[in-house]
Amino acid sequence: MRRSVVAMAGAAVVLGLAAEAVAYDWDAPERWLPDLVVGWTMLGAGIVVWGARRARGAAVLLMVTGVTWFVGLTPATLYLHRGPLVHLLVAFAGWRPRTRLAAAAIRVGYVAAVVAPLSASGAATVALVVGLVAVTARGYLVAEPRARHDRFVAAAAALIYAGVLVSGVVATSLVHRGDAVLPALVAYQAALVVVVVVLVSGVVAPSPSEVADLVVELSEGPDATVRDRLARVLGDPTLEVGYWSLVEQVYLSAQGEVVELPHAGSGRAVTRVGEPHAPVAVLVHDPETLRDSTVIDAVGRAARLSGSHLALQEELRRRRDEIAGSRQRLLLAADDERRRLAQRLRLGVEAQLDTLAQVLARLDDSAAPASDGADHLVSARHHLTEAREDLDALAAGLLPRELAAGSLPDAIEALVERSPVPLTVDIDAGHLPADVETAAYFLCAEALANLSKHARARSARVRAWSTGDRLWVEVVDDGVGGASLHGGSGLRGLADRVETLGGSFECHSPVGSGTRLLATFPSAPWFAARDPR
């Protein structure tokens, strides 16, 4: 960087001397010396801003303005410097215009600079600078708080530039042209130097107040932007910010990547935030970036605050993940227990009832038709049938036989057969993890139970389909509506079950217009890995 700055400075000296040697005689210093000072001021200012690694766009435009100033040796090139100068004032302290109006003003500035008769016209010059002041003033008025400083500097410089040009036009119109030219030229040259000094004073070095403003603004945006904001304020695009991780015992960026500290002699500097026994953050930057101790303190406060934000967010994510994991484990454990109970009922009690039915059948064959024993057998078979029905209902409430066999469509069809409301069913879901199928089944069961309890619906539709890695389940009825997640435990419990599995649940039920329940379930590998079937 230092070598490049020295090289640019040497080129500026050579260019200035060469241009003045071509344009003037050395025995007329009153002519070439002010001209040389103006050109060197522009080039020197651009080199200083470039070396400070701040506002590179402004640095380039300053240097281009200086070059075109020295190139203006003929009437055709005399006004070329006004193009990049207008560009600099409108876009300060960057390169690109921020609005369409600013872009139009820059184009007009370049056109006027290239078309010499236009710039030589007093009326056109006044119109140009009045428009320039208006554009920069508007930029200040509509700027965000953090951009107000740059917009104010640009507006002030534009006002100085406009004032000297308008004064020159007035002077040449009131005084004999030959008598006013040299004083107007000297005034113009002095104003250009003042304009350059005003612009450079706003971008050369970061101030503690700028970084303090950044600290205040940290709460307005994500922490991932802190590095970019600090890099902009400090003028170091290579800046890296790392936050100390107690878990991994390394510095991590806001994106979770390890920040490698440079070795000695690498040309990079390291600024640590915190105590050796309690590190907080680290900044890896250009050695020229942080020299002022007050700026270092302000940057340290910004890094501490950002690090605290990240630590709190990480703790919040960890607690949220723990709660979500706990909910998932509880739900899966409850479903596993439900499956085990249903299986024990079917394999245990149901088998015993089958054995009892066989015993009753043998006794029935041996009993006399008109005996008291025959009547007792009929009563026993009746009670046995009722017991089987109760057992089936209990087992179905725990887990339907069809769902236990791995068929969500068959389980929903069984619900449809028991529904008192006509239903349309459209299921195209394929095989899914048991946890997802169980949640989808209970969603349909709860929705269909509400048809007769609350909805007073005449018809309903059940749809289930898969798209990529998600299952969609929809239940729609034409009832009275008015259902709400906050109106009872049924829908709220369904929503909790769906969300625990990583899905989403929607209930749209305007009064008098029916109810639509829509749930989405992820069928990701995590669920498949826990599929007990």
Side-chain angles (χ1 to χ4, degrees):
M1 173 57 68
R2 291 178 180 176
R3 287 194 294 269
S4 63
V5 169
V6 171
M8 286 190 289
V13 172
V14 173
L15 175 63
L17 293 175
E20 300 307 322
V22 172
Y24 302 103
D25 294 328
W26 293 114
D27 56 357
E30 73 278 2
R31 303 294 301 272
W32 61 261
L33 185 57
D35 193 84
L36 182 62
V37 169
V38 173
W40 275 356
T41 299
M42 294 175 177
L43 289 173
I47 293 170
V48 169
V49 175
W50 181 274
R53 295 195 174 191
R54 288 177 52 78
R56 288 293 178 85
V60 171
L61 289 172
L62 280 167
M63 287 187 281
V64 172
T65 304
V67 171
T68 52
W69 174 265
F70 283 130
V71 171
L73 304 177
T74 66
T77 61
L78 183 61
Y79 304 101
L80 286 181
H81 66 280
R82 292 188 180 180
L85 181 58
V86 169
H87 188 168
L88 173 63
L89 293 172
V90 173
F92 187 80
W95 171 270
R96 297 179 179 177
R98 294 168 179 81
T99 64
R100 293 182 179 179
L101 178 62
I106 291 172
R107 286 194 291 269
V108 170
Y110 278 112
V111 170
V114 173
V115 182
L118 192 60
S119 292
S121 167
T125 298
V126 171
L128 175 67
V129 296
V130 168
L132 175 63
V133 170
V135 171
T136 54
R138 181 182 182 277
Y140 168 74
L141 293 175
V142 301
E144 297 179 355
R146 275 197 57 77
R148 284 281 179 91
H149 172 73
D150 290 346
R151 304 283 76 73
F152 177 79
V153 171
L159 188 60
I160 295 171
Y161 183 63
V164 71
L165 279 179
V166 172
S167 299
V169 170
V170 173
T172 54
S173 64
L174 298 178
V175 182
H176 188 273
R177 188 172 183 83
D179 296 335
V181 170
L182 186 58
L185 177 60
V186 173
Y188 181 68
Q189 291 169 332
L192 286 179
V193 172
V194 173
V195 166
V196 171
V197 171
V198 169
L199 293 176
V200 173
S201 64
V203 296
V204 169
S207 65
S209 61
E210 287 184 277
V211 185
D213 291 341
L214 172 63
V215 174
V216 174
E217 289 182 6
L218 288 181
S219 60
E220 300 178 2
D223 287 304
T225 66
V226 170
R227 180 265 158 204
D228 296 333
R229 293 183 179 186
L230 279 174
R232 186 176 67 251
V233 170
L234 298 176
D236 184 2
T238 66
L239 176 72
E240 296 179 76
V241 180
Y243 306 96
W244 183 252
S245 171
L246 292 175
V247 177
E248 301 187 31
Q249 294 292 298
V250 294
Y251 289 103
L252 300 176
S253 68
Q255 292 75 30
E257 301 174 352
V258 177
V259 175
E260 299 289 348
L261 300 185
H263 56 79
S266 64
R268 303 282 287 160
V270 176
T271 299
R272 300 177 187 271
V273 179
E275 302 299 330
H277 62 278
V280 176
V282 66
L283 289 86
V284 181
H285 55 87
D286 186 271
E288 303 295 327
T289 298
L290 292 178
R291 289 186 176 272
D292 189 334
S293 60
T294 57
V295 173
I296 294 175
D297 291 340
V299 170
R301 289 195 297 272
R304 286 178 184 274
L305 180 58
S306 178
S308 298
H309 283 182
L310 289 176
L312 289 174
Q313 291 173 1
E314 180 61 29
E315 178 67 14
L316 179 61
R317 284 193 294 268
R318 187 180 67 81
R319 295 292 180 88
R320 186 180 59 206
D321 291 343
E322 288 179 355
I323 293 174
S326 177
R327 291 179 64 189
Q328 290 169 353
R329 288 190 295 272
L330 289 173
L331 176 64
L332 296 177
D335 286 344
D336 289 343
E337 185 63 24
R338 187 190 300 272
R339 293 187 186 92
R340 283 194 293 270
L341 287 174
Q343 187 177 29
R344 289 174 62 183
L345 285 174
R346 292 193 174 100
L347 297 181
V349 180
E350 188 173 341
Q352 295 176 8
L353 292 177
D354 288 341
T355 302
L356 178 58
Q358 294 173 6
V359 171
L360 291 176
R362 288 195 296 271
L363 292 174
D364 188 39
D365 292 338
S366 60
S371 64
D372 293 338
D375 294 336
H376 290 305
L377 288 174
V378 171
S379 178
R381 283 196 300 271
H382 175 70
H383 289 301
L384 178 60
T385 301
E386 290 181 343
R388 276 183 164 174
E389 292 174 352
D390 291 342
L391 178 62
D392 287 341
L394 176 60
L398 292 172
L399 193 70
R401 188 186 305 272
E402 297 83 0
L403 194 60
S407 176
L408 177 62
D410 290 344
I412 294 179
E413 289 290 350
L415 285 175
V416 172
E417 292 176 359
R418 297 193 295 269
S419 173
V421 178
L423 295 174
T424 301
V425 179
D426 180 11
I427 299 176
D428 182 18
H431 177 73
L432 294 165
D435 305 317
V436 175
E437 289 191 344
T438 301
Y441 170 81
F442 282 112
L443 169 68
C444 295
E446 177 70 20
L448 296 180
N450 287 338
L451 292 180
S452 57
K453 291 181 182 178
H454 312 293
R456 299 198 296 274
R458 295 183 300 274
S459 63
R461 183 181 74 249
V462 178
R463 295 178 60 211
W465 68 96
S466 298
T467 57
D469 60 349
R470 302 192 74 82
L471 170 68
W472 299 72
V473 179
E474 180 188 57
V475 182
V476 181
D477 66 61
D478 59 358
V480 296
S484 172
L485 294 179
H486 307 290
S489 60
L491 291 180
R492 182 65 263 173
L494 290 177
D496 290 342
R497 173 181 282 272
V498 173
E499 292 167 0
T500 299
L501 294 177
S504 62
F505 183 83
E506 299 177 13
C507 175
H508 183 68
S509 184
V511 176
S513 300
T515 300
R516 177 178 181 263
L517 303 180
L518 178 64
T520 62
F521 302 89
S523 52
W526 182 87
F527 293 104
R530 293 197 52 85
D531 191 346
R533 291 198 296 262

